[in-house]
Amino acid sequence: MRRLEPLAWVGPAVILIAVVVLWPVVEMVKSSFLKISRFGIVQGSNGTKNFTKLFAAPDFGAIMFRSLIWVVAVVALTVLISLALAQLFNQRFPGRKVARWALIAPWAASVLMTAIIFKWMLDPEVGVINIIRKWLGLIPAMGGADADQLGNASTALPWLIFVAVFVSVPFTTYALLAGLATIPADVYEAAKMDGATKWRTYWSITLPLLRPALTVAALINIMNVFNSFPIIWPMTHGQPGYSTATSTIFMYILKGADIGESAAMSVINFGAVIILTAIFLKMSRWKQEVA
C-alpha cells in the first residue's frame, strides 16, 4: 500500500493533464479525419481529404514559412533584448526599482488590450504614431496609403513583430534576472582575480550558467509566439490577403468554412510546435556539449 501512496499526490495532476491536454489532442486528431460542417455537424468520415485539401491551398506554403519567420524573429529579438535588460537591471543604479516596476507594465496588461491600443496608435486617420510621422515629414498627409501601415504588407508584419516582442520582453527579462540571481558572486571574484575582461566573463561564465533559465524562457516564448492569436487577429485579421496570417490565424479563418480542415491545420500546428521545440532542445544540448 505504501507504494501506492505517491499516486495520491500525483494522481490529481495526471488526471488534470489527461482532461485538459490529452483529451483535446485526441479529439483534435479525430476531427481532422471527419467531414464537419461550419455549424459543427459531423457528416461522416472524410479520410485524409482534409489534409489533401489543406496542402493544396495556394497560400499554405507561404503561411507556414511566414509562421517560421514570425517565431524566429520574435523569439530571437526577445531573447537578445531581454539579455541586455536583465544584465542592466542586475546592476545597482538609482531608480532601479522604478525601472523594474515599469518593465512589468506590458506584461501585466492584457495582450489583446495592448494589441488594440497599438492598432489605435497606428490608425491612418487619427493614430498618434502617424501624427508624429506627419510632424516629422515622413508622410505627406493623414489618411493616405502611406499612413495605413497595417494595411500594407511590407510594414504590417514588422509592426506585429514589434508588438509581440514588446509584450514578450518583460517575462523573459524577469526569467533571466532570476537566473542571474542564482550565479554565485565567488565565480565573478575568481574571474576578476584571473584578469578576465567583462566581456570574457560574460561570455565564459554568465551565459553558460544562465543557460537553464534561458532555455526555459526561450521554450515558453516559442510555444506562446507560435500560437499567438491576440496580437495578429485584432490588429490585421491576417490581412492584407494572407500577408500577415500565421498558421494559427489561418486555422481560425478555415473554421468559418470547414471545421474538419481547420482541425487538420490544428494537427499540423501541434506537430510544428513539437518539431520546433525538439530542434531547439537539440541545439541547446549541442551547444552545451561543445562548451
Side-chain angles (χ1 to χ4, degrees):
M1 291 296 294
R2 292 182 62 85
R3 293 181 179 179
L4 298 178
E5 286 182 3
L7 291 177
W9 300 98
V10 302
V14 172
I15 294 173
L16 182 63
I17 292 173
V19 173
V20 176
V21 179
L22 298 181
W23 179 67
V25 170
V26 171
E27 288 298 317
M28 175 184 69
V29 175
K30 286 172 57 180
S31 299
S32 67
F33 294 100
L34 298 175
K35 183 175 179 59
I36 308 174
S37 72
R38 58 182 299 185
F39 303 106
I41 300 173
V42 178
Q43 299 173 336
S45 175
N46 205 26
T48 59
K49 291 182 180 179
N50 290 329
F51 290 93
T52 303
K53 183 180 178 182
L54 182 63
F55 294 148
D59 296 295
F60 177 77
I63 288 171
M64 295 305 297
F65 179 73
R66 189 179 304 110
S67 300
L68 178 62
I69 298 299
W70 163 259
V71 172
V72 172
V74 174
V75 175
L77 288 172
T78 297
V79 169
L80 289 175
I81 294 171
S82 297
L83 280 170
L85 288 176
Q87 192 66 24
L88 172 64
F89 289 154
N90 197 45
Q91 310 299 318
R92 295 188 178 277
F93 59 88
R96 183 177 71 163
K97 288 185 178 180
V98 176
R100 283 186 171 189
W101 279 107
L103 183 65
I104 294 177
W107 186 21
S110 164
V111 175
L112 177 61
M113 182 183 73
T114 303
I116 292 174
I117 289 173
F118 270 99
K119 183 178 181 180
W120 289 344
M121 293 170 66
L122 290 165
D123 187 276
E125 300 287 345
V126 294
V128 64
I129 292 177
N130 283 312
I131 291 175
I132 295 173
R133 293 176 71 217
K134 185 176 181 299
W135 286 347
L136 295 175
L138 299 177
I139 54 175
M142 299 290 289
D146 293 334
D148 189 11
Q149 297 183 83
L150 293 180
N152 190 323
S154 62
T155 55
L157 189 59
W159 271 111
L160 293 175
I161 292 174
F162 173 83
V163 175
V165 172
F166 179 78
V167 300
S168 301
V169 160
F171 162 76
T172 311
T173 301
Y174 272 90
L176 296 178
L177 274 172
L180 288 172
T182 64
I183 300 177
D186 298 347
V187 179
Y188 291 114
E189 290 295 333
K192 187 175 181 181
M193 292 178 64
D194 289 340
T197 62
K198 290 185 177 180
W199 173 249
R200 183 62 181 175
T201 300
Y202 184 80
W203 186 258
S204 300
I205 296 176
T206 304
L207 275 182
L209 294 178
L210 199 59
R211 184 177 287 118
L214 185 59
T215 300
V216 172
L219 277 176
I220 293 175
N221 274 298
I222 287 173
M223 290 183 283
N224 285 342
V225 172
F226 190 91
N227 293 301
S228 182
F229 182 85
I231 294 175
I232 300 176
W233 185 256
M235 291 187 70
T236 65
H237 284 71
Q239 299 173 1
Y242 286 115
S243 61
T244 60
T246 61
S247 57
T248 302
I249 299 298
F250 189 52
M251 173 193 69
Y252 184 77
I253 294 173
L254 290 173
K255 176 188 69 68
D258 190 334
I259 294 179
E261 188 179 358
S262 179
M265 187 72 247
S266 299
V267 172
I268 293 173
N269 281 350
F270 184 72
V273 171
I274 293 176
I275 291 171
L276 283 175
T277 302
I279 291 173
F280 178 79
L281 290 175
K282 181 66 176 179
M283 290 177 63
S284 298
R285 280 199 297 270
W286 175 77
K287 290 180 181 179
Q288 193 169 5
E289 290 170 1
V290 171

